């Protein structure tokens, strides 16, 4: 092989170790999800995704789902504090909503462990369970909560699509 070509190739790898290749992988993976824009937006904004393979991208999405659920739970508690005069049933509903998000976070954390063990069917089941357990009273009490719940569900949907890619590869 010509030494000039070899040197050029090595320089490209040093200067652009995973830059364009990682963006290509993110774009390719996200194009196969139902929520392409959200998928791209999340993964491109997280520096670790630039060096990740498909399984790494799936793990990043799971971690983002946990973070998102944590923020929603905090928002639910904030609603309770802000509206001190709400009735008992409403307060109970908000408490149940927060509990549901704690369960969802636990299920997503278990899905991360399953992903690490390459147990993809278990990942799918846990993520589906996290979505199913979100029987909340969100849109009645706070439109922002309904939007946050929708984003959480979309992140989980992206994760299911990403896990499907892992199963087929």
């Amino acid at each position: 092989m010509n030494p000039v070509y070899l040197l050029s190739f090595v320089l490209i790898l040093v200067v652009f170790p995973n830059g364009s290749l990682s963006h290509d992988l993110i774009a390719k993976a996200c194009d196969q999800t139902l929520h392409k824009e959200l998928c791209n937006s999340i993964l491109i904004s997280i520096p670790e995704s630039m060096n990740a393979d498909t399984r790494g991208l799936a793990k990043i999405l799971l971690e983002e789902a946990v973070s998102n659920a944590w923020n929603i739970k905090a928002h639910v508690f904030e609603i309770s504090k802000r509206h001190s005069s709400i009735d008992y049933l409403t307060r109970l509903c908000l408490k149940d909503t927060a509990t549901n998000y704690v369960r969802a976070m636990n299920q997503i954390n278990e899905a991360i462990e399953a992903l690490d063990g390459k147990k993809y069917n278990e990942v799918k089941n846990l993520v589906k369970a996290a979505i199913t357990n979100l029987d909340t009273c969100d849109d009645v009490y706070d439109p922002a909560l309904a939007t946050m719940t929708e984003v959480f569900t979309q992140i989980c949907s992206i994760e299911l699509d990403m896990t499907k890619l892992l199963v087929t590869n």
Side-chain angles (χ1 to χ4, degrees):
M1 179 176 219
N2 185 333
V4 173
Y5 291 117
L6 184 59
L7 180 61
S8 298
F9 181 72
V10 170
L11 283 173
I12 288 171
L13 288 177
V14 169
V15 175
F16 304 106
N18 283 323
S20 111
L21 294 176
S22 59
H23 278 288
D24 289 347
L25 178 60
I26 291 169
K28 183 179 176 183
C30 289
D31 280 348
Q32 297 180 55
T33 68
L34 185 61
H35 306 286
K36 296 169 182 49
E37 294 82 19
L38 180 60
C39 179
N40 276 297
S41 173
I42 290 169
L43 292 175
I44 288 173
S45 71
I46 298 173
E48 293 81 11
S49 65
M50 295 303 138
N51 296 319
D53 58 5
T54 305
R55 191 164 57 118
L57 297 177
K59 186 171 184 175
I60 290 167
L61 288 165
L62 287 169
E63 291 167 347
E64 185 66 20
V66 170
S67 174
N68 189 272
W70 179 263
N71 291 335
I72 294 169
K73 184 188 79 129
H75 185 75
V76 169
F77 283 128
E78 185 59 36
I79 293 169
S80 285
K81 287 181 190 174
R82 223 178 341 165
H83 302 290
S84 58
S85 63
I86 55 178
D87 63 89
Y88 173 76
L89 290 176
T90 302
R91 191 168 302 286
L92 186 62
C93 183
L94 289 169
K95 182 181 176 195
D96 288 346
T97 299
T99 300
N100 288 341
Y101 275 97
V102 169
R103 283 189 192 119
M105 283 187 286
N106 290 337
Q107 289 163 322
I108 298 295
N109 279 321
E110 288 178 36
I112 291 171
E113 290 178 27
L115 182 68
D116 287 342
K118 298 182 180 181
K119 299 174 184 173
Y120 302 130
N121 284 331
E122 190 174 332
V123 172
K124 290 190 303 188
N125 290 337
L126 287 162
V127 172
K128 286 178 183 178
I131 294 169
T132 302
N133 286 335
L134 296 181
D135 183 19
T136 65
C137 53
D138 51 20
D139 51 7
V140 176
Y141 302 107
D142 189 86
L145 183 57
T147 301
M148 294 169 82
T149 299
E150 181 180 352
V151 170
F152 175 82
T153 303
Q154 289 174 355
I155 293 170
C156 289
S157 171
I158 294 166
E159 173 59 35
L160 290 171
D161 291 336
M162 195 72 65
T163 302
K164 195 181 306 178
L165 293 175
L166 291 170
V167 171
T168 58
N169 289 336

